[in-house]
Amino acid sequence: MEQRKNDLKIARLKEELGRAIEGDDVDTADLITAQLLKLQGLRSRKKIPKGFAERIAVEGTGFRGKREKRKLLFVLAAVLVLMFSVGVISYAAGIFFPYTKNRDGSVTPVNALQESVEFKAAQEYHSYLDHMTEEEWARLADTSESAIYDVPSKVEEICRKYNLKFATTRTELSSYGSAEQQLEKMGMKSLLGTRLRELFKETEGGKFSGYMLDDGNLHMEAEVNGRDSQTRSIISIDLTPEGSFPWTGFTPNMGGFDEARSVDLIQSESGLCFPYIETSEKDSAKAFNKVGKYYITLGVSKVLTERVEQAFEKERTDLMEELDQTVRKKTGCANYESLSEKFAVGLGKAVAADAAAVQKAEEEHNWERKRSLLLEYGELTETELDVFDECEKKIVNLQKKSDQICILTRKDMEEALALFDFESLQKR
């Protein structure tokens, strides 16, 4: 009974903490954090390294002044309480994965801590873009190939307001060698670890691209051989130094934001801890942190090798030939494509007759209900519907087989982090 009361109290405090963090109420967040620490015995948990929260808050942020350090320490400590008590955490008000919200419900990630002036500048700019009219866009947008920002005049205005550097030139990085040369000029060559160099020697046709802005922002993307013979890894890294307008190459309107998606924690070889999050497709993930004076977003995704992709393409071709024969034999339609077209027309008729019922069946993934609506309104036979369903399942199963190979694992993230010497950034 006592444990039940304790659990309810913890749950209530977590909700209050979320509201305090969202509302930037530091004092309340401090008090709640202290209560949660006491209730859950965070310091006694063996899985949390000694000084872990302090190391993230002080060494890994570059914040100056006792008030700023104290604020970030307690916010991160509060999040860590949730992380290690339930195993995973939510986005925690964008602290680990900062983003700006758009009017259509989508979000735009920002490569800067949520409380920073860099984030505030990016937030103001994306809000401006989100509310632009077509006429304003036609008049103000820079659509040239050399454009750094969509509306440079607005970025320059915001940079003056927040005392940030404004980029005016962009240097393309066409190869791993050119990236090394540019980073050497900045005294950052060691960022590209020896393992990354080795991978490029091993990888036939290894791809590398990127750019640097004159305000210190850096974007790099590399494609290298994966840990197995079936996949390749695409690794991207974005660095934004303090005092610069955050630019990560993200496209605005990234799609719906999944508040329930969980965040995990991973440690680099140099001992730095990176929160990371998977996409819903499970084939890619992003990690974010601040090391020294640099905000870092690391992206990793897996794709099939050309050889494996060709094998799957042959399997798809063979499957479609098999489905065409099945469709001709059982339905009289010329092939699977013609049956698909007939199904689409029938679905349109069903929607016209009872849109609400069709929508409900779609949302509930209720094939039997959808089938009955198509029989009633779509002018399709039971055989045609059964054959179409059979074909669709075989196509989906083949796609799942392909997708399964590209699922990103924790080990993939660990190896991607190991390709970079982030510790060298702490010394700058």
Side-chain angles (χ1 to χ4, degrees):
M1 187 67 175
E2 189 62 31
Q3 181 61 44
R4 175 62 177 163
K5 288 181 179 180
N6 194 56
D7 291 343
L8 289 172
K9 189 173 183 179
I10 289 172
R12 178 178 57 78
L13 286 171
K14 287 177 182 178
E15 292 178 2
E16 291 176 6
L17 176 62
R19 288 193 292 270
I21 294 173
E22 188 72 41
D24 241 354
D25 187 344
V26 185
D27 293 330
T28 301
D30 284 356
L31 290 172
I32 297 173
T33 300
Q35 293 178 64
L36 281 169
L37 285 168
K38 183 177 180 180
L39 284 169
Q40 302 197 60
L42 177 66
R43 298 183 186 282
S44 66
R45 288 179 179 270
K46 294 181 180 179
K47 63 169 66 176
I48 302 175
K50 184 179 180 182
F52 180 54
E54 289 84 352
R55 185 165 71 247
I56 293 177
V58 180
E59 296 179 6
T61 64
F63 272 78
R64 296 177 178 84
K66 292 182 179 179
R67 172 64 174 171
E68 287 79 7
K69 286 181 180 179
R70 176 175 174 272
K71 181 175 182 178
L72 188 63
L73 167 61
F74 274 91
V75 171
L76 286 176
V79 174
L80 288 171
V81 172
L82 307 188
M83 179 189 298
F84 290 104
S85 63
V86 301
V88 296
I89 61 173
S90 294
Y91 274 89
I95 293 169
F96 279 164
F97 289 86
Y99 61 88
T100 64
K101 291 183 178 179
N102 303 308
R103 286 187 298 167
D104 63 1
S106 62
V107 299
T108 301
V110 176
N111 193 32
L113 283 171
Q114 192 180 43
E115 298 176 348
S116 66
V117 292
E118 292 86 4
F119 177 85
K120 292 175 182 176
Q123 187 177 42
E124 188 170 322
Y125 177 58
H126 287 302
S127 177
Y128 169 80
L129 292 179
D130 200 31
H131 288 82
M132 283 185 78
T133 65
E134 291 184 11
E135 292 76 15
E136 288 173 328
W137 179 265
R139 180 165 50 87
L140 299 171
D142 183 353
T143 57
S144 65
E145 290 187 5
S146 60
I148 296 176
Y149 308 108
D150 287 326
V151 186
S153 59
K154 187 63 179 179
V155 177
E156 189 172 15
E157 174 192 321
I158 293 172
C159 284
R160 284 197 299 268
K161 175 180 176 180
Y162 291 99
N163 194 29
L164 298 176
K165 291 180 181 178
F166 170 69
T168 57
T169 60
R170 169 173 169 152
T171 302
E172 298 296 329
L173 306 175
S174 57
S175 67
Y176 183 85
S178 64
E180 279 193 327
Q181 291 174 7
Q182 289 297 324
L183 287 171
E184 189 168 19
K185 291 178 182 178
M186 299 172 62
M188 295 173 59
K189 183 179 177 180
S190 56
L191 173 65
L192 305 178
T194 55
R195 179 57 184 150
L196 187 58
R197 188 180 296 109
E198 291 170 1
L199 274 175
F200 266 88
K201 289 179 181 178
E202 297 170 4
T203 302
E204 185 178 346
K207 300 175 183 176
F208 192 99
S209 63
Y211 55 80
M212 293 183 68
L213 305 182
D214 61 346
D215 65 352
N217 273 279
L218 169 70
H219 170 78
M220 294 182 293
E221 187 169 301
E223 182 177 331
V224 295
N225 285 338
R227 291 190 298 112
D228 53 60
S229 60
Q230 295 181 299
T231 62
R232 288 168 69 84
S233 296
I234 299 175
I235 301 164
S236 66
I237 182 170
D238 289 277
L239 268 69
T240 295
E242 278 184 326
S244 296
F245 186 84
W247 176 263
T248 61
F250 288 120
T251 302
N253 302 325
M254 295 289 285
F257 180 64
D258 183 3
E259 294 281 355
R261 200 179 300 168
S262 61
V263 176
D264 206 342
L265 199 68
I266 203 163
Q267 194 171 42
S268 70
E269 289 186 345
S270 59
L272 295 169
C273 293
F274 282 75
Y276 78 97
I277 188 167
E278 297 175 337
T279 62
S280 55
E281 291 79 16
K282 302 292 186 182
D283 62 350
S284 60
K286 286 190 180 297
F288 173 79
N289 204 343
K290 186 164 187 289
V291 181
K293 65 178 183 179
Y294 291 92
Y295 302 107
I296 300 171
T297 296
L298 180 76
V300 185
S301 61
K302 293 177 75 172
V303 295
L304 297 175
T305 63
E306 187 175 346
R307 177 185 61 80
V308 176
E309 181 58 51
Q310 288 174 350
F312 269 107
E313 190 57 43
K314 183 180 185 306
E315 196 169 346
R316 290 187 197 100
T317 301
D318 293 343
L319 175 61
M320 295 314 297
E321 289 179 359
E322 175 192 323
L323 298 184
D324 286 344
Q325 293 178 9
T326 300
V327 168
R328 280 195 296 271
K329 180 178 179 181
K330 295 185 176 181
T331 70
C333 292
N335 49 35
Y336 168 76
E337 185 178 354
S338 63
L339 178 60
S340 296
E341 291 174 356
K342 190 171 183 179
F343 180 88
V345 171
L347 183 59
K349 291 178 180 179
V351 169
D354 195 342
V358 174
Q359 182 179 352
K360 185 177 180 182
E362 292 275 11
E363 291 174 350
E364 296 176 352
H365 303 289
N366 188 338
W367 166 248
E368 289 304 318
R369 177 56 180 152
K370 185 176 176 181
R371 184 177 183 276
S372 66
L373 290 166
L374 287 163
L375 285 171
E376 184 175 358
Y377 303 113
E379 299 177 9
L380 290 157
T381 67
E382 290 189 357
T383 299
E384 288 171 339
L385 288 172
D386 290 342
V387 171
F388 179 80
D389 185 43
E390 177 188 341
C391 292
E392 287 290 289
K393 286 177 179 177
K394 288 184 177 180
I395 293 171
V396 168
N397 287 338
L398 180 58
Q399 187 59 51
K400 284 182 178 178
K401 181 180 174 183
S402 171
D403 293 343
Q404 192 70 25
I405 296 175
C406 291
I407 290 178
L408 194 78
T409 67
R410 184 183 182 87
K411 185 66 175 176
D412 293 317
M413 286 299 297
E414 289 174 347
E415 293 191 352
L417 283 172
L419 297 178
F420 301 92
D421 180 10
F422 293 114
E423 190 172 16
S424 64
L425 296 178
Q426 292 180 303
K427 302 171 183 176
R428 287 181 55 78

